[in-house]
Amino acid sequence: MDKKLHDQGLENRKEVLGADYVERSMSQVDDFNRELQEVLNEYCWGKIWSGKGLDRKQRSILNLGMLAALGRSHEFKLHFRGALNNGVSIEELKDVLLQITGYCGFPAGVESFRSVSYTHLRAHETVLDLVCRLLLE
């Protein structure tokens, strides 16, 4: 394991997804899933998320499209929060969801909008409160 990449990955992961979420995930590491967490932190969050070709906002937008196309709604909700943390505005996110609808199909678009509906966004004090609630559902 490359300790420097691993540590950078853990830092990136906390900045994007939120320290509380990552610390909860890391507290659930056991002998069976330890290698997965190491690969996620070192490779995905360390190497890929530290790349110079895209900024975090662009990476977040790409992730939302890919996760919607794959039907990974749990990860979609998590990365929606990450997109907010990375500076993607609500207006930009709405356009991302419409783009998903056009290119991934109506079921994927409907599911994406349902995951983070504007009505729910407005009913909460902050967007981050909503996303935290969605993650715990």
Side-chain angles (χ1 to χ4, degrees), residues 24-101:
R24 260 193 326 272
S25 290
M26 296 306 294
S27 73
Q28 296 173 14
V29 170
D30 57 30
D31 289 340
F32 185 75
N33 65 16
R34 185 174 320 284
E35 287 183 66
L36 171 64
Q37 291 299 321
E38 289 172 355
V39 168
L40 285 172
N41 288 327
E42 180 180 350
Y43 184 72
C44 178
W45 289 102
K47 182 146 182 74
I48 294 172
W49 275 84
S50 296
K52 305 297 182 217
L54 299 171
D55 63 30
R56 285 187 177 175
K57 187 173 175 179
Q58 292 167 321
R59 289 178 196 282
S60 285
I61 290 170
L62 281 168
N63 278 359
L64 291 174
M66 291 182 287
L67 291 168
L70 292 168
R72 303 295 193 253
S73 60
H74 175 78
E75 289 291 317
F76 183 89
K77 292 174 190 177
L78 180 61
H79 280 275
F80 187 89
R81 176 183 182 179
L84 292 166
N85 289 342
N86 287 334
V88 183
S89 71
I90 295 297
E91 191 64 31
E92 290 170 320
L93 285 166
K94 183 176 79 171
D95 281 347
V96 168
L97 299 184
L98 289 171
Q99 188 84 5
I100 287 168
T101 303

Side-chain angles (χ1 to χ4, degrees), residues 4 7 10 12 14 21 23 25 28 41 49 71 78 81-82 89 103 105 114:
K4 183 178 176 183
D7 292 348
L10 199 53
N12 290 345
K14 287 179 180 181
Y21 174 81
E23 287 167 13
S25 290
Q28 296 173 14
N41 288 327
W49 275 84
L78 180 61
R81 176 183 182 179
S89 71
Y103 281 85
R114 183 180 296 131

